[in-house]
Amino acid sequence: MDALRLPPRRLAFLLFAALLAIAAAEPAAGRDAAGFYNPRPSPDTRFVYVSTSGDDRANGRGENTPLRTLERAKKQLRDGFPDHLLIRAGDRFDEPFGYFAKSGRSADQPMFVGVYGEGDRPEFNGGLLAHAATGVSHLVIQGLAFRDRSRDPADPSFSVEAARRGGYGIKWNERGENVLFEDLKISRFFVGMDLSGDAGDKPDDEEIRARQRAGKHPLRDVTVRRCIVVDNYGVNGHAQGLFASNLDGLRVEECTFDRNGHDEAVEGSKPDIFKHNVYQYFTLNSRMELVGNLITRPSAQGAQVRGGGLVEGNFFGRCPIAMTILDGESRVAGNAVLDASDIAGVQENGFGFLVESVASIELTGNLFAHKNSGSGHGVAVKVSQKWDHHGRDPWRERIGNPQLSATITGNLVSDWPTASKWPAFDVNEDQVDAVVTGNRVDPAGAAVPTLADYMAANGRGGGDPYEALAEEAANRPRGTWDPRWTAAGVNAFLRAGAGLDEAAPAAGRDPSHR
């Protein structure tokens, strides 16, 4: 389904329309011209510099007198102050970043861990860990790279033992609030990012649920923004790109998630139904925002949003299941799902969105096109309760047994073949009060561009368009932002070609669901 569908002149017009649609965006307050967080020191900020060419006998207070090790530098940071830890651009450390347990002063005066000098992200051979009992708040970590070289088949230090062992790029099992991870690159771990609030001394499940119902989450207001989380895999266990739990207020924005879960180049690393690009574990009363991300080629699911929330403007490409969403009030809008696939050698899938036991949800303005799966039952949207093997719906029970409802309007399904008994929008109306209206279903899909069309329009035609997109997005230099290789760029092009932003069809019961 990756072939070019449109003639060159049509491609050029759609590219112009897409770029025009995203060019008007202005950087928000507190950000630089490229849209990244712009640190502003306070009068009492202490600057601490680190470089592989530094010396731990130096004072570390200037670019010309950097320290050599992070451990020495961390000791100079003051907990509760807006200090800046700055690491020289382009440096390559042979050790991991290690533990970090320092907070800033406030949301307006955070502690900042970033980069000085010109060049790309400084890289650490291992991850960053935080699990201090005192908690970490008001912190920005920006512009670093974390890679486990011993798990990279292309690196001379690769070993089968390390590949089987695994590890974490960022393991943030912590208490606190107001943490921003921005412009990081994380690759070749077992789990790229584990953001799990510290629940304390092993409380039982019911105690955790009671806290969650009361809104008492140990970790709050964490943002993962413009990060690159790719090629994290497992040989044993359930590898993930990003895993989150016991956390309220998670926002994942304009990131790239590609090929997380398994790596075919590593012996014994195989896909299965438990390995995903983004996995928010079920947490009561915890809304998540997943906005403007490139989410491509996972082992199983592009995203599991088990706490409900906002899913908007993402591009899901070549996912066996683009997304499963559960729990609270949710809005899913303006996403594009292309080339839905299967879990190779495991299961036929080809699903867009699975909506399971969501109290209420609005799905609007989404595009589903060019399904590439052997499955006849893989529909664009399926809405139902989620049953366990005992014939119960514990998910609905946990949120108070509400009457489930869904509104599905203004979506386009194109070139998405299913068996005749499976409609594009498969809603179990015995379980869910649903309004399905004003949607379009185009079996042929001639009007919807492919990803190959988009890459060709941007000078990257030929070969696998997903490889080309990943090459551009995953190798983005630090501190730069090219809208061509973003979900906003891809989606604007697809929507312009599909006419999805034009007036919706007249309201009425949609024949494309049962």
Side-chain angles (χ1 to χ4, degrees), residues 7 13 21 60 76 100 113 124 204 229 234 277 297 300 324 328 347 351 380 386-387 391 408 419 434 439 454 460:
F13 171 78
Q76 295 201 22
F100 194 87
V113 179
F124 294 90
D204 61 29
V229 183
N277 269 342
R297 302 187 296 179
T324 296
Q347 191 177 79
F351 284 96
K386 181 175 176 66
W387 303 100
I408 305 173
N439 301 288
Y454 181 73
R460 288 300 313 267

Side-chain angles (χ1 to χ4, degrees), residues 273-440:
I273 63 173
F274 303 107
K275 299 174 179 177
H276 316 305
N277 269 342
V278 178
Y279 183 13
Q280 181 203 25
Y281 188 69
F282 185 84
T283 302
L284 285 167
N285 199 18
S286 62
R287 181 179 171 86
M288 176 180 177
E289 296 183 353
L290 188 69
V291 178
N293 302 281
L294 285 173
I295 302 175
T296 56
R297 302 187 296 179
S299 291
Q301 299 203 28
Q304 283 211 12
V305 182
R306 291 196 171 200
L310 176 67
V311 179
E312 185 173 69
N314 302 284
F315 173 73
F316 296 90
R318 207 177 279 173
C319 303
I321 300 172
M323 178 184 66
T324 296
I325 187 166
L326 295 92
D327 194 12
E329 294 184 3
S330 301
R331 175 177 166 83
V332 178
N335 304 281
V337 180
L338 251 63
D339 305 311
S341 58
D342 298 322
I343 304 177
V346 177
Q347 191 177 79
E348 291 185 344
N349 302 96
F351 284 96
F353 297 152
L354 301 181
V355 180
E356 300 179 329
S357 297
V358 177
S360 66
I361 188 168
E362 178 187 14
L363 295 103
T364 184
N366 301 288
L367 168 64
F368 306 86
H370 310 315
K371 176 182 168 185
N372 189 17
S373 164
S375 164
H377 63 275
V379 298
V381 176
K382 182 175 182 179
V383 184
S384 65
Q385 289 184 247
K386 181 175 176 66
W387 303 100
D388 66 13
H389 59 280
H390 299 296
R392 294 173 51 243
D393 181 354
W395 293 269
R396 185 178 172 219
E397 291 173 9
R398 289 168 183 164
I399 60 176
N401 288 306
Q403 174 58 54
L404 308 180
S405 65
T407 301
I408 305 173
T409 182
N411 302 283
L412 171 62
V413 180
S414 180
D415 186 27
W416 198 276
T418 58
S420 59
K421 73 174 185 175
W422 301 110
F425 303 102
D426 182 14
V427 181
N428 189 324
E429 294 181 345
D430 293 332
Q431 301 171 357
V432 182
D433 286 342
V435 176
V436 184
T437 184
N439 301 288
R440 292 163 49 195

Side-chain angles (χ1 to χ4, degrees), residues 134-369:
T134 54
V136 174
S137 298
H138 313 311
L139 172 67
V140 177
I141 300 178
Q142 182 190 74
L144 309 181
F146 305 95
R147 178 168 67 99
D148 188 340
R149 297 171 200 151
S150 67
R151 301 186 83 244
D152 187 344
D155 195 279
S157 65
F158 173 78
S159 75
V160 174
E161 180 183 353
R164 293 183 178 278
R165 182 175 63 246
Y168 294 79
I170 291 180
K171 189 173 180 61
W172 201 263
N173 299 149
E174 191 52 270
R175 299 170 180 266
E177 62 183 343
N178 187 38
V179 178
L180 169 62
F181 300 102
E182 186 179 66
D183 201 16
L184 308 180
K185 184 171 184 179
I186 303 169
S187 62
R188 298 299 176 183
F189 295 94
F190 175 67
V191 175
M193 303 182 78
D194 179 353
L195 309 177
S196 300
D198 176 19
D201 294 330
K202 299 181 180 179
D204 61 29
D205 285 347
E206 188 49 45
E207 182 180 351
I208 291 176
R209 301 294 183 220
R211 293 179 190 174
Q212 292 173 356
R213 288 188 188 96
K216 296 179 180 179
H217 299 86
L219 185 59
R220 301 177 303 280
D221 300 331
V222 175
T223 299
V224 181
R225 186 170 185 272
R226 293 188 174 183
C227 291
I228 299 166
V229 183
V230 296
D231 297 322
N232 297 287
Y233 69 91
V235 174
N236 304 304
H238 303 156
Q240 314 292 335
L242 184 153
F243 177 84
S245 69
N246 219 17
L247 158 62
D248 183 39
L250 173 62
R251 182 176 175 89
V252 181
E253 178 184 359
E254 295 184 333
C255 296
T256 295
F257 296 95
D258 181 60
R259 212 157 37 187
N260 292 293
H262 78 287
D263 188 334
E264 295 174 352
V266 177
E267 183 180 357
S269 181
K270 298 178 180 180
D272 63 41
I273 63 173
F274 303 107
K275 299 174 179 177
H276 316 305
N277 269 342
V278 178
Y279 183 13
Q280 181 203 25
Y281 188 69
F282 185 84
T283 302
L284 285 167
N285 199 18
S286 62
R287 181 179 171 86
M288 176 180 177
E289 296 183 353
L290 188 69
V291 178
N293 302 281
L294 285 173
I295 302 175
T296 56
R297 302 187 296 179
S299 291
Q301 299 203 28
Q304 283 211 12
V305 182
R306 291 196 171 200
L310 176 67
V311 179
E312 185 173 69
N314 302 284
F315 173 73
F316 296 90
R318 207 177 279 173
C319 303
I321 300 172
M323 178 184 66
T324 296
I325 187 166
L326 295 92
D327 194 12
E329 294 184 3
S330 301
R331 175 177 166 83
V332 178
N335 304 281
V337 180
L338 251 63
D339 305 311
S341 58
D342 298 322
I343 304 177
V346 177
Q347 191 177 79
E348 291 185 344
N349 302 96
F351 284 96
F353 297 152
L354 301 181
V355 180
E356 300 179 329
S357 297
V358 177
S360 66
I361 188 168
E362 178 187 14
L363 295 103
T364 184
N366 301 288
L367 168 64
F368 306 86

